Amino acid sequence: MKRRSFIAGTAAVGGAGCGRGEGPAPGYRVLTENEIRTLDAWCEALIPADDAPGASWAKVPRYIDIQLTRKFRRLLPRYREALAAMERWLAAAGVEGMAARLELMEQGKAPRELFADGGKDAFEMVLAHTLQGFYGSPRHGGNRDYVSWVLLGVAPVPVRGREQAETGKN
Amino acid sequence: MVVAGLVVLVGVLLAPAGSLLYESGGPEACANCHEMGRQVELWSGSAHQEVKCGACHGDALTMDARVHWTNARRVAEHWMGRIGEEPRLGEGQVLEMMSRCEGCHEQEFAAWQAGPHAATYERLFLDEKHNHTRHLMNDCLRCHGAHAEGAIGDVVAPLDTKGPWRLVREELRGQPAIPCMQCHAVHREGQVLGRKRLEAKMAGRQQETHRPGLGFYDRRSRAGVRAGLLRVPKMEDNGRVLRMSADGRQAVCYQCHAPLAGRQAGSGDDRTPKGVHEGLSCLACHEQHRGTTRASCATCHPRLSNCGRDVETMDTTFANAKSGHNVHWVACADCHAKGVPRRR
């Protein structure tokens, strides 16, 4: 079983078994354990691990969770709605094929009973934030250990000397 | 009046009581504040995992009112639904932490105190010779006073080359501008050194070339970047690529003792060894905390050497432009004036 499928599976099982209403997941600010599991699978499907870590390892869900208490505060209801819909979809349709589902969402062809617009809006939202969390500065909560910068060959802290310029006597 | 007094009394007692309540739950309780989660997670895998939060950050019995004020403020913010940024140590807290570092790392602390990296704000920012000839700028704070709050203008004034200069906050005068946390992160992953500690310091197979807790405090992100992620630049000497030591720890040194963009050895603040010492790590000669080098010469150059020279008495400093034995760049020809003997 692929890692991605495993994560999607655990998200589906967790999502099916528990209702909402519990507090934030340990170490997180607003999203519940189920929501984090689903979001983790979602982000990992967008930037999967290969020979380098993916979005899950880079703690992209943590970035989104933090920002949902700050800059993305107004997006929290949309996130809750999208994650709940994804949980239901995973629970109903089995554990395989998260990537295929996201492709449908990208085209706006997800089941209308789950996503009113076919999922395009939720897909774009999570994709944008996943990219931000993966490629942005770790100070915002994602990009753990500068993983994407190392991949791109960008030094976390550039070595830059200073010209010992003499200003002359004043 | 009595009611007001009671309200004040309750308020004063409530803050330490809150701290006490959290402490009773152990370090995990600190993670109840959701913004603390990452720090507690990091700490739990660090070399300091046996040191409880209160030992460094203050506990319910701490007399520092700021600790209780900060805790009370955060609780109030939570109640109001305002979850702040991840807590980071402020300038004052970083400086206060040093006495706590000293509590366990006495030798290292004493060595650091005796070395150049213990330079104070006064020494670095009120240096007349420097300030008359070079501009004070925000970039200075990358290595000196990196934890200082605000910009260079909030540390020293005026920002010109005429002076006279003064520290904007006089309380910084005697404080170290390169504190422990410039190069060390307390929460970073690692294991307690234990018995390996001595072996790690001595030349040999067990000698340390990597330490997880070592890093560089990046002022922009207000966080330490571990040494493993920092780069040792590929240095050159007039087009020739220099051989570099595999010691990853020196990546931290290069953050401040850095070359200019052309990566020429000796440019900017760089001191990359070339000549006979090419390929040596900074830490092969410089003692880690004191930074001194004199004693290290004897490691490779015993007094009864073939040439009979006592290197300990040579002027090997780069600071003296007339020194023929600048240890960073001394070449074979500097001693063998009549020609370098062929290698046998």
Side-chain angles (χ1 to χ4, degrees):
Chain A
M1 181 185 263
K2 286 181 180 173
R3 182 165 167 262
R4 199 190 306 160
S5 310
F6 174 74
I7 295 169
T10 50
V13 171
C18 309
R20 188 162 293 118
E22 71 254 53
Y28 288 86
R29 295 185 173 198
V30 284
L31 297 179
T32 65
E33 216 156 341
N34 288 335
E35 288 169 337
I36 285 293
R37 249 196 304 251
T38 306
L39 183 61
D40 197 61
W42 192 332
C43 297
E44 181 69 10
L46 291 169
I47 306 180
D50 41 30
D51 51 341
S56 175
W57 190 91
K59 297 276 184 187
V60 170
R62 181 173 61 193
Y63 162 78
I64 295 173
D65 178 71
I66 290 172
Q67 299 311 320
L68 283 173
T69 64
R70 299 175 62 74
K71 298 283 183 191
F72 303 161
R73 209 169 173 182
R74 63 188 170 76
L75 297 177
L76 183 58
R78 280 173 63 191
Y79 256 96
R80 290 219 189 277
E81 201 180 315
L83 291 170
M86 181 59 90
E87 277 176 26
R88 285 200 298 277
W89 198 5
L90 291 170
V95 297
E96 292 294 327
M98 174 64 119
R101 257 163 243 171
L102 292 180
E103 276 173 25
L104 286 175
M105 288 176 74
E106 188 178 16
Q107 295 159 21
K109 292 178 181 171
R112 299 276 165 176
E113 61 271 23
L114 293 171
F115 299 95
D117 66 339
K120 196 166 173 55
D121 191 36
F123 176 85
E124 297 291 348
M125 176 177 72
V126 177
L127 175 66
H129 297 159
T130 300
L131 294 175
Q132 288 172 16
F134 192 74
Y135 293 106
S137 169
R139 71 175 294 186
H140 304 299
N143 195 4
R144 178 181 174 188
D145 269 357
Y146 299 87
V147 60
S148 64
W149 294 15
V150 172
L151 266 171
L152 295 169
V154 177
V157 190
V159 172
R160 52 198 170 104
R162 193 163 60 84
E163 190 73 70
Q164 299 288 345
E166 302 280 327
T167 60
K169 289 191 176 175
N170 290 277
Chain B
M1 190 70 176
V2 175
V3 174
L6 278 173
V7 168
V8 170
L9 185 68
V10 168
V12 166
L13 291 176
L14 208 59
S19 300
L20 196 63
L21 181 71
Y22 265 82
E23 278 161 35
S24 63
E28 291 74 21
C30 297
N32 283 346
C33 283
H34 312 296
E35 63 267 40
M36 290 297 293
R38 181 156 70 142
Q39 289 301 331
V40 173
E41 181 189 323
L42 280 170
W43 162 85
S44 62
S46 75
H48 293 97
Q49 58 190 264
E50 300 295 323
V51 184
K52 302 297 180 203
C53 307
C56 294
H57 297 291
D59 54 24
L61 301 176
T62 302
M63 295 303 286
D64 187 349
R66 282 174 302 175
V67 172
H68 302 300
W69 168 247
T70 305
N71 288 349
R73 184 173 51 80
R74 282 198 176 275
V75 170
E77 283 175 352
H78 268 266
W79 277 345
M80 289 186 279
R82 290 204 313 261
I83 304 179
E85 269 199 67
E86 188 176 277
R88 298 180 195 280
L89 293 181
E91 171 193 279
Q93 290 163 315
V94 166
L95 297 171
E96 278 171 29
M97 279 288 287
M98 298 191 65
S99 60
R100 288 157 190 159
C101 300
E102 183 186 12
C104 293
H105 303 279
E106 278 178 32
Q107 284 189 352
E108 288 82 358
F109 194 87
W112 165 83
Q113 262 185 326
H117 286 147
T120 60
Y121 276 82
E122 178 187 18
R123 160 76 184 80
L124 290 172
F125 291 100
L126 301 185
D127 183 334
E128 297 231 340
K129 187 181 170 195
H130 173 279
N131 293 357
H132 271 305
T133 53
R134 290 170 192 167
H135 285 293
L136 288 159
M137 57 182 91
N138 282 329
D139 200 43
C140 301
L141 297 175
R142 195 163 53 90
C143 295
H144 305 131
H147 293 85
E149 277 151 24
I152 186 72
D154 298 307
V155 175
V156 59
L159 298 181
D160 60 23
T161 52
K162 293 175 183 166
W165 298 273
R166 61 179 172 80
L167 291 171
V168 175
R169 282 169 291 146
E170 195 57 29
E171 68 268 21
L172 288 177
R173 180 173 287 275
Q175 296 289 354
I178 310 171
C180 307
M181 281 191 228
Q182 182 68 53
C183 302
H184 298 280
V186 180
H187 288 186
R188 197 167 293 123
E189 76 274 17
Q191 292 177 327
V192 179
L193 286 178
R195 292 175 61 189
K196 281 191 172 175
R197 194 170 177 165
L198 188 60
E199 292 169 353
K201 283 184 175 178
M202 297 170 73
R205 286 180 170 226
Q206 299 294 319
Q207 189 173 18
E208 183 181 77
T209 56
H210 169 68
R211 169 149 337 162
L214 201 60
F216 181 73
Y217 178 79
D218 180 23
R219 185 176 162 79
R220 297 172 309 168
S221 54
R222 296 187 68 199
V225 180
R226 66 181 166 87
L229 292 170
L230 300 173
R231 285 184 180 172
V232 176
K234 290 174 182 166
M235 297 298 299
E236 294 183 11
D237 179 28
N238 293 323
R240 185 176 71 86
V241 177
L242 291 174
R243 195 155 32 97
M244 303 294 288
S245 165
D247 186 351
R249 296 173 303 170
Q250 62 177 349
V252 178
C253 311
Y254 272 102
Q255 283 300 318
C256 294
H257 300 276
L260 299 181
R263 301 196 310 274
Q264 284 295 311
S267 64
D269 293 304
D270 177 71
R271 301 284 176 264
T272 300
K274 55 187 183 183
V276 295
H277 294 124
E278 183 180 326
L280 286 182
S281 160
C282 309
L283 294 158
C285 300
H286 290 272
E287 199 272 339
Q288 289 162 326
H289 290 96
R290 198 186 306 263
T292 49
T293 55
R294 281 283 169 197
S296 66
C297 296
T299 309
C300 302
H301 301 280
R303 285 206 173 161
L304 297 174
S305 61
N306 289 340
C307 64
R309 282 178 182 266
D310 180 3
V311 294
E312 301 252 339
T313 60
M314 290 179 178
D315 183 355
T316 56
T317 58
F318 65 86
N320 181 1
K322 291 178 183 169
S323 167
H325 311 292
N326 176 339
V327 78
H328 291 98
W329 301 313
V330 64
C332 302
D334 289 327
C335 290
H336 297 277
K338 292 178 181 174
V340 181
R342 299 186 70 177
R343 192 181 289 272
R344 279 177 282 180

